[in-house]
Amino acid sequence: MNIIETTGVADAKAELQKGIESLAFFSDKTVDEIGDELISIQVERNGGSNLEITQGFVSLKRFLLASTYGDDAIGSFPATNPESFKTVAVIELTEMGALVMGPNDKLKLALKNLDPMKKYIFDGIESPVTSDDVYMYEEKSIADEQTNYDVNVRNFDIAIIDDDATITELNFTHDNGVVTKHSMREIRAISQDIDPVAYVRNDGKVLPNFVGFIQLPLKGIVNINVRKNEGSVVKFFMRKDVELLAMGLIK
């Protein structure tokens, strides 16, 4: 079902009272062209606490990269298709099944900083079953002047890290207490080895990564110590799996 289809505007929002399993995103922008666009997703509960899938507005690009790392990839529809798009992504909202929605609950989707000259479409994909195991997203920033900083990544399973030249080393503390040290070159190799197909462009070219960002698995890691030089603010955008957290499968 179509939720948002917009062009010619800078902001857009929509509400849905039916649970969906995934969002399908389409745009005539390439992934590399997506820049300042922001997205917010929440479930407004009738008489209960709201479910913040994103913590307010977050980067649309980082959101796409976090939600498609691993088994999924960002694709496209070539010009030979009935509809041609430079970016096509399916974003799972839950592990498996549609979001559980109570009477009068509302799924709210909002977009900001859109390019009025481009098209942005979100469709909702339904499911015959429902699920409480919702993916949630959170962003953390390391300030310019911070050169030795610990990021608590406990309970998260995927991170999108700025591939910034100021970062010199990442040290992982694993859930068994062992600390491993990695250069950024090693981190890029690990990311690409785990998910070698990141993006299939509409010209048929397959890319193993995205310019300016590193996708990184976090399962089994509880802390990342970032060593960096001054000069840049570095962002970590992370995904949390609520059901795995509740079951103790993410530490």
Side-chain angles (χ1 to χ4, degrees):
M1 72 181 78
N2 182 246
I3 301 175
I4 286 178
E5 182 166 347
T6 182
T7 187
V9 298
D11 303 318
K13 59 184 178 180
E15 295 181 357
L16 192 65
Q17 288 189 279
K18 187 172 187 177
I20 56 174
E21 179 177 30
S22 305
L23 291 167
F25 172 70
F26 309 86
S27 180
D28 52 3
K29 265 192 167 187
T30 67
V31 175
D32 289 336
E33 290 171 338
I34 295 174
D36 296 330
E37 293 92 334
L38 301 175
I39 184 169
S40 169
I41 307 174
Q42 65 170 300
V43 178
E44 186 179 272
R45 298 294 193 194
N46 179 36
S49 298
N50 293 344
L51 174 63
E52 300 285 342
I53 293 178
T54 65
Q55 300 293 312
F57 279 93
V58 300
S59 162
L60 173 61
K61 186 168 185 173
R62 290 180 173 88
F63 177 70
L64 292 174
L65 269 55
S67 60
T68 56
Y69 183 66
D71 295 334
D72 303 311
I74 295 178
S76 55
F77 289 169
T80 54
N81 276 35
E83 290 183 285
S84 177
F85 294 102
K86 293 181 179 179
T87 297
V88 177
V90 176
I91 302 149
E92 295 179 351
L93 298 179
T94 72
E95 184 83 24
M96 183 178 295
L99 283 164
V100 176
M101 301 280 284
N104 298 318
D105 285 356
K106 297 177 181 178
L107 175 65
K108 292 189 170 184
L109 175 64
L111 303 169
K112 291 171 60 175
N113 299 341
L114 302 179
D115 182 344
M117 302 301 294
K118 297 295 182 179
K119 180 179 290 187
Y120 304 83
I121 298 173
F122 278 94
D123 289 344
I125 301 176
E126 299 182 52
S127 171
V129 297
T130 59
S131 174
D132 283 319
D133 54 335
V134 183
Y135 292 117
M136 301 175 71
Y137 299 83
E138 186 175 320
E139 186 173 79
K140 297 184 179 182
S141 296
I142 304 174
D144 178 355
E145 67 275 8
Q146 292 174 309
T147 59
N148 188 338
Y149 188 83
D150 287 310
V151 181
N152 182 355
V153 298
R154 189 185 298 271
N155 307 329
F156 296 94
D157 66 346
I158 291 171
I160 305 303
I161 305 172
D162 291 348
D163 191 359
D164 195 280
T166 61
I167 303 175
T168 58
E169 183 178 270
L170 297 182
N171 301 322
F172 297 165
T173 301
H174 300 264
D175 54 16
N176 63 358
V178 174
V179 177
T180 58
K181 297 185 177 184
H182 306 277
S183 68
M184 291 299 285
R185 184 168 56 206
E186 292 172 21
I187 295 300
R188 296 184 195 103
I190 291 169
S191 172
Q192 187 169 310
D193 178 63
I194 292 174
D195 187 6
V197 179
Y199 179 29
V200 182
R201 300 194 328 189
N202 67 337
D203 62 3
K205 187 174 182 179
V206 178
L207 301 177
N209 49 39
F210 297 95
V211 176
F213 299 93
I214 296 175
Q215 298 164 293
L216 189 67
L218 295 178
K219 289 184 179 180
I221 302 173
V222 297
N223 186 82
I224 297 179
N225 173 253
V226 181
R227 304 292 178 90
K228 62 183 284 291
N229 298 317
E230 294 184 6
S232 294
V233 174
V234 173
K235 292 185 178 181
F236 276 61
F237 185 78
M238 299 177 291
R239 186 180 78 171
K240 181 186 296 183
D241 188 319
V242 172
E243 186 189 40
L244 293 182
L245 172 61
M247 294 173 63
L249 297 179
I250 298 180
K251 299 192 181 238

